[in-house]
Amino acid sequence: MLVDDGETAKLTLDRNLAHPDPWARAMLNLMSAVQAENNGDVETLQYRLPLAMAGFREIGDRWGIGTTAAAMSTLDSRQGRIEEAIAHLQESRQLMIQLRAVDDECFALNRIGMLRFRLGDLEGARKDIETAVEIAERTGSAMSVAFGMFGLAVLTHHEGNTPKALVMAYQSLAQLSTAPFSPPQVKALIHCGIATLNMSADNPIGAAQRLRDAYQAVLASRDMPVAAVLATGVAEYLLARGDAAGAAEMLGSGVKLRGMEDLSDLDVRRVAGAVRAALGPEDYDRHHGSGRNLTKDAALAQIEIALKIKR
């Protein structure tokens, strides 16, 4: 089985959600929400996050409020509410500054910058991400430096300098390897980003290898929203190979993996627009619907097939 749905952990959490201690209840609701987000279970995520926030606000736990606000920003952005997402991240950042939680502060700043990019504010995006990198370099956080460098690579590509962006993206991957701990999700996202840059540079072979590396990181993380990012990259790769129907199905499988559409993701919108233009609306909707109807295991298996990954 490719997908670990965490049923044992979920049952353990569910049994304790009525814990008599208010901090424990808030934390258990947050843990349940985080697990649901990783599994693409949007219904549980939407139910548990507000309960966690209400609990942490009631007792005044700054770390809990900031962490939950950051999680809420992700849900906001996927639903197209980018301004609300930025507001949640700004609250999270201020609380993390108070707590001197540097990595969390840098994460918030990087995310704010990338959301400003989605709004078309490149100057504001670059300012936020450069500030995050400066903080991370000053405090010696290799992981946060790497994540910020990758964000700057994305902006550089958007500004028209793809060769420089590729150099920066590979540098961010090398920087990540120096971190004492780096979540596989971050590694997967950087590999996916490099694949996108390679596709733009007309290097599908290089893109395919980055996507295969991303797939291995996805398996290590068991993070379904990150798997959905990978599915978008694979869809672009399939389209370049002339398989528009497979690309549409792959985009649909990304929705299945994530548990919802991502209405503000620029790569999803760009690739979906190209695939729809290649197929026409009716065929696009039919193949996209087929992907959405897959199980998560089947969706991941389709990625293996598309990338010719041998198990």
Side-chain angles (χ1 to χ4, degrees):
M1 183 176 180
L2 291 173
V3 177
D4 177 10
D5 61 7
E7 273 304 312
T8 301
K10 184 177 186 301
L11 289 170
T12 301
L13 284 171
D14 289 348
R15 281 197 298 266
N16 290 282
L17 285 168
H19 196 284
D21 181 78
W23 183 88
R25 284 199 306 275
M27 180 58 73
L28 287 164
N29 275 299
L30 176 59
M31 292 171 65
S32 178
V34 169
Q35 183 190 56
E37 198 262 347
N38 283 359
N39 290 338
D41 177 3
V42 177
E43 183 178 356
T44 300
L45 174 65
Q46 291 176 318
Y47 178 66
R48 293 294 171 195
L49 270 183
L51 292 175
M53 181 62 88
F56 285 127
R57 287 198 190 281
E58 183 178 355
I59 60 178
D61 186 308
R62 290 177 292 174
W63 179 89
I65 295 168
T67 302
T68 307
M72 285 181 158
S73 75
T74 300
L75 188 57
D76 284 334
S77 67
R78 288 178 187 159
Q79 293 174 326
R81 301 192 303 268
I82 300 180
E83 296 286 359
E84 290 90 336
I86 290 174
H88 271 127
L89 285 165
Q90 286 172 332
E91 178 181 23
S92 177
R93 183 198 174 197
Q94 291 305 314
L95 291 168
M96 295 309 171
I97 289 173
Q98 294 173 24
L99 296 170
R100 300 182 182 179
V102 175
D103 277 336
D104 289 326
E105 178 193 354
C106 290
F107 170 80
L109 258 180
N110 278 312
R111 286 278 294 131
I112 290 169
M114 294 311 295
L115 288 171
R116 291 198 199 283
F117 167 58
R118 292 186 180 190
L119 290 173
D121 179 8
L122 266 69
E123 182 179 352
R126 184 172 288 279
K127 180 179 178 181
D128 283 330
I129 297 173
E130 286 179 346
T131 299
V133 171
E134 290 171 6
I135 294 169
E137 287 178 337
R138 187 168 65 247
T139 57
S141 175
M143 183 186 70
S144 293
V145 170
F147 199 53
M149 287 173 61
F150 173 69
L152 293 174
V154 171
L155 298 183
T156 299
H157 166 64
H158 188 76
E159 291 164 347
N161 194 341
T162 301
K164 182 179 179 181
L166 269 166
V167 171
M168 295 171 66
Y170 278 112
Q171 287 174 340
S172 75
L173 194 61
Q175 176 73 20
L176 189 66
S177 69
T178 69
F181 170 73
S182 57
Q185 291 95 324
V186 174
K187 186 178 294 185
L189 290 172
I190 293 177
H191 279 305
C192 286
I194 294 175
T196 298
L197 295 174
N198 274 320
M199 290 299 301
S200 181
D202 197 25
N203 180 14
I205 294 175
Q209 185 54 56
R210 292 301 112 201
L211 294 170
R212 292 185 189 104
D213 291 339
Y215 181 76
Q216 298 304 321
V218 163
L219 290 186
S221 70
R222 306 294 184 184
D223 190 311
M224 293 303 100
V226 175
V229 174
L230 172 59
T232 302
V234 175
E236 183 174 21
Y237 171 69
L238 289 174
L239 180 63
R241 295 182 60 196
D243 185 3
E249 184 171 344
M250 190 62 64
L251 288 169
S253 72
V255 177
K256 178 66 177 185
L257 291 165
R258 192 187 300 107
M260 63 188 301
E261 298 273 6
D262 191 333
L263 300 179
S264 71
D265 189 297
L266 299 180
D267 284 330
V268 172
R269 287 159 56 180
R270 174 179 56 81
V271 175
V275 176
R276 184 183 288 274
L279 284 175
E282 289 186 8
D283 282 345
Y284 175 85
D285 290 344
R286 177 164 55 86
H287 290 293
H288 190 271
S290 295
R292 292 183 68 149
N293 288 329
L294 294 173
T295 65
K296 290 185 175 70
D297 279 351
L300 286 174
Q302 287 296 99
I303 293 175
E304 284 190 0
I305 293 168
L307 296 176
K308 296 182 170 60
I309 295 172
K310 296 181 180 179
R311 296 174 61 190

